[in-house]
Each structure stands twice: as structure tokens, then as C-alpha cells.
Amino acid sequence: MNSLIIYSTTDGQTKKICETIKDNSINKESYEIISLEEAFHKELENYEKIIIGASIRYGRHNPRVYKFIKLNRNALEKKKSAFFSVNVVARKPEKDTPNTNPYIKKFLKKSSWQPKKLGVFGGKIDYPRLGFINKNIIRFIMLVTSGPTNIKNSYEFTDWQKVKKFISEFDEM
């Protein structure tokens, strides 16, 4: 069985989550992990299972995620497919499920794709690695949303047990 994991990442956390998904799958030998840009050159018909993971930056997924899905929607709907969003809003318990996360809701409406499995995972804020403008914009957003604002620290909100549960449930499909 050939399986594909496609990631769209801003600072690397989504790719890290994809690697954890692969490493914890009972079928890890069958998985290939590629970037969204590489995925535009793949024949999806060659895969039985496809997972797409995308991060949020400033309230939106990369527009190329929607373009990829639009171009490949028929193929994706014939496969065992999953989508997950990585965002810092998911750090809040009331927004950490597909049913409660505003970015998943927006994604489903905008993409018109209904993957067979959905997930949402908290992301990471790595203030020391951010440039001046991004650091201050994100810090302001965190201030307004009661998040961490100390720019000397990194904050990881990913629940790794939840990531492992996601792939365990996907493997059973």
C-alpha cells in the first residue's frame, strides 16, 4: 500500500508533525512525506491513502493548499484521505477539535473537500527565530488572545499524544 503525506508549513512544525505521523503509523514503510510544492508534480492515483497537513499564519492556510485541492479534488475523494490544520488557536481546549476549531470550519467551507478524517493540532511559536516584523505581529496577536508574549522563549502547543491517536485512527480506516 502506497501512502502519501503532504505538508504546507510556515516554520517547520507541520513537517515535524507529519514525520511523527509517519513514525507512529503501523504502515510507516509505506509512507512518503513531501512538501506541497512537490505534490503538484505527483500522480495521486498511485497512492491509496493521502494525508494533507497545513499550518495557519495570520489567520489563513497557504492559498496553494486550496489550489492543490481544487486541482486534485476528484482523486482525493476516491482515496482514504485526511486533513489536519496546525494553528496556535488550538492551544485552547475549546478550539482544539475539528468541530470547534474556526480554521477547520473555514477550510471545509472554502475547499469543498470532505476528507474522511480531520485533525487539528496546536502549533509552535518560536519567537527567537522570527524576524522583527513577524515577532511583533505575533506577539500582539498573543497579547490580544491571552497567549504567551515573552519574545525570548519558544512555545510548543502540539499535543503529541493527540497526533499519535490521529494516525492510529487513520490506520484503522
Side-chain angles (χ1 to χ4, degrees):
M1 176 181 359
N2 291 332
S3 304
L4 185 63
I5 302 174
I6 301 166
Y7 65 88
S8 172
T9 192
T10 306
D11 296 316
Q13 190 71 3
T14 304
K15 183 179 181 186
K16 186 176 174 184
I17 291 169
C18 290
E19 291 165 348
T20 299
I21 287 171
K22 176 183 176 178
D23 291 344
N24 286 276
S25 172
I26 57 173
N27 303 307
K28 63 181 157 189
E29 298 81 23
S30 74
Y31 275 99
E32 177 182 356
I33 300 175
I34 62 171
S35 70
L36 177 63
E37 293 311 312
E38 293 172 278
F40 278 97
H41 307 288
K42 285 285 185 180
E43 294 293 328
L44 298 187
E45 291 75 23
N46 297 331
Y47 298 92
E48 292 180 42
K49 290 184 171 186
I50 300 171
I51 299 172
I52 300 175
S55 64
I56 290 289
R57 178 57 65 93
Y58 303 135
R60 64 187 190 109
H61 291 103
N62 180 336
R64 297 210 22 101
V65 171
Y66 296 105
K67 182 176 182 179
F68 178 81
I69 290 167
K70 184 178 181 181
L71 290 171
N72 294 285
R73 187 168 162 214
N74 288 338
L76 289 168
E77 289 182 349
K78 293 176 187 171
K79 308 290 178 181
K80 292 180 182 173
S81 62
F83 175 81
F84 68 87
S85 179
V86 178
N87 57 78
V88 179
V89 168
R91 76 185 186 282
K92 298 180 176 187
E94 68 275 12
K95 296 185 180 179
D96 74 343
T97 70
N99 293 330
T100 61
N101 188 271
Y103 298 117
I104 289 285
K105 290 178 182 181
K106 184 178 175 181
F107 169 81
L108 291 171
K109 188 174 184 177
K110 188 172 179 178
S111 73
S112 299
W113 172 44
Q114 293 296 316
K116 296 178 179 48
K117 175 120 183 92
L118 290 169
V120 60
F121 308 116
K124 180 178 180 179
I125 299 173
D126 193 355
Y127 283 117
R129 291 187 62 207
L130 294 173
F132 178 80
I133 293 172
N134 282 330
K135 184 181 299 188
N136 286 293
I137 291 172
I138 291 171
R139 184 177 190 206
F140 177 73
I141 292 167
M142 288 298 103
L143 180 67
V144 170
T145 62
S146 302
T149 58
N150 185 336
I151 59 173
K152 294 181 181 178
N153 294 328
S154 293
Y155 303 91
E156 186 175 289
F157 302 104
T158 307
D159 179 340
W160 296 105
Q161 291 306 315
K162 193 174 172 185
V163 173
K164 291 174 185 176
K165 183 179 180 198
F166 174 85
I167 189 57
S168 175
E169 291 172 356
F170 189 68
D171 280 342
E172 293 175 8
M173 292 176 58

